[in-house]
Amino acid sequence: MRQAIFLIRLLPMEQCSLESGQGLSLDNIVDASLDLRYLDAYLYTFINSSENHFMLGLPVTYYVFTDMPEMVPDIKLGPQRSIKVIKVEKHSRWQDISMMRMKTISDVIESDIYYHFTHVFCFDVDQVFTGRFGSEALGDSVALLHAYYYLLPKILFTYDRNPKSKAYMETGDFYYHAAVFGGTCKSVKALAEACYQGIMEDKQNNVEALWHDESHLNRYLWLHKPSKVLSPEYCWDTSIGYSSDIRVKRLLWAPKHYNTLRRP
């Protein structure tokens, strides 16, 4: 069985400027001033840690999405591991970078990945592997419980509550984290296409979902249940503190070096 992995150049979320984001207050504030140093800061560490923990013994290709392919560092990989760099359009708003990745995922699966691989995993790049992330995580459609919400009552899940958005949800099963998702090429392409379509319809109506592509992903997974749901150990934030049910931390949110990543 052959695998494929996506690395997405994705900026952390901030307050939305459009309708459904009004009144939102978040801890991690960042703007579009992050530049190529984002790749320097996170990509090398991400791939190096992946080489020690992700799908060991299986063929893996890293697809790196960036608007600056010439800045991707040279990284030594193990046997049956390779990197493909995909140049994407540069956007001035990080929100558009986040949302437009869904179109890129769909397009690259159709043009390349489908002919060479069986499964795809999509990751944010600002993370570090610290434990086994192997074939036990494979499935037809794989979603991840968000570390900040999995123990909370549903009433506190931050679904998009704006009826004007295509991501609107009144209720759901779980709250999923868009930092990690995957499955077969067919299922991931279907998810990406549906999310992109919803994003574009929202744009036409001057609406932006509360958590952008993550809101659309949650809507899709509410309507199309994933075949496998990963626990937060597969993407944990140490700032949450101790949790007795998280005994193994397999992937960690990397520290956000905003002071050094911002342009002067």
Side-chain angles (χ1 to χ4, degrees):
M1 181 180 294
R2 296 182 61 79
Q3 319 301 323
I5 173 178
F6 280 100
L7 305 182
I8 314 301
R9 186 189 179 200
L10 184 65
L11 305 182
M13 301 286 187
E14 69 160 344
Q15 183 172 339
C16 303
S17 59
L18 296 184
E19 202 167 335
S20 62
Q22 292 178 353
L24 175 64
S25 177
L26 303 176
D27 293 331
N28 293 334
I29 305 300
V30 69
D31 57 30
S33 65
L34 292 182
D35 61 7
L36 62 89
R37 285 172 291 179
Y38 198 82
L39 281 175
D40 294 336
Y42 296 119
L43 181 60
Y44 187 86
T45 300
F46 184 100
I47 295 183
N48 270 338
S49 65
S50 172
E51 287 293 283
N52 293 320
H53 299 290
F54 182 75
M55 301 294 170
L56 299 184
L58 295 175
V60 169
T61 294
Y62 301 94
Y63 285 78
V64 181
F65 297 161
T66 176
D67 58 8
M68 294 184 174
E70 68 278 6
M71 300 307 300
V72 173
D74 185 23
I75 303 175
K76 184 177 180 180
L77 304 176
Q80 301 187 87
R81 322 276 281 203
S82 61
I83 292 180
K84 288 188 177 182
V85 179
I86 307 296
K87 185 174 183 178
V88 296
E89 181 182 354
K90 186 174 183 177
H91 296 281
S92 59
R93 298 174 67 246
W94 63 262
Q95 294 96 331
D96 291 326
I97 296 173
S98 173
M99 293 186 288
M100 291 305 104
R101 68 169 176 160
M102 289 299 184
K103 184 178 189 301
T104 306
I105 290 170
S106 176
D107 289 348
V108 174
I109 289 176
E110 182 175 355
S111 65
D112 186 347
I113 296 175
Y114 180 80
Y115 301 99
H116 305 289
F117 302 98
T118 60
H119 288 73
V120 176
F121 262 99
C122 306
F123 291 92
D124 289 357
V125 73
D126 52 353
Q127 304 180 95
V128 180
F129 289 93
T130 55
R132 172 189 167 90
F133 198 124
S135 58
E136 79 285 348
L138 295 175
D140 180 69
S141 174
V142 182
L144 170 78
L145 296 180
H146 199 296
Y148 277 83
Y149 297 102
Y150 79 106
L151 291 179
L152 297 180
K154 291 182 181 181
I155 194 173
L156 297 180
F157 291 175
T158 55
Y159 298 134
D160 189 282
R161 308 292 187 181
N162 179 9
K164 295 182 181 180
S165 173
K166 300 300 291 187
Y168 169 73
M169 294 179 65
E170 184 175 348
T171 188
D173 296 316
F174 306 104
Y175 189 84
Y176 299 111
H177 196 175
V180 179
F181 61 94
T184 63
C185 290
K186 180 180 179 180
S187 68
V188 175
K189 187 175 189 300
L191 180 152
E193 286 181 342
C195 290
Y196 176 66
Q197 181 178 353
I199 288 166
M200 296 309 294
E201 290 186 32
D202 276 1
K203 280 183 173 291
Q204 292 175 1
N205 296 320
N206 197 35
V207 175
E208 196 163 273
L210 178 64
W211 289 109
H212 311 96
D213 57 326
E214 184 169 88
S215 294
H216 289 276
L217 177 141
N218 270 275
R219 166 77 177 182
Y220 181 86
L221 293 174
W222 164 240
L223 298 175
H224 306 84
K225 309 300 186 189
S227 63
K228 178 167 291 188
V229 176
L230 301 179
S231 87
E233 70 192 71
Y234 284 86
C235 186
W236 185 253
D237 185 358
T238 56
S239 67
I240 295 174
Y242 176 75
S243 184
S244 61
D245 53 346
I246 304 298
R247 300 183 180 183
V248 178
K249 301 177 180 67
R250 304 175 188 275
L251 183 67
L252 298 179
W253 298 15
K256 307 300 187 289
H257 307 294
Y258 295 152
N259 290 338
T260 57
L261 290 177
R262 290 179 184 270
R263 286 195 185 102

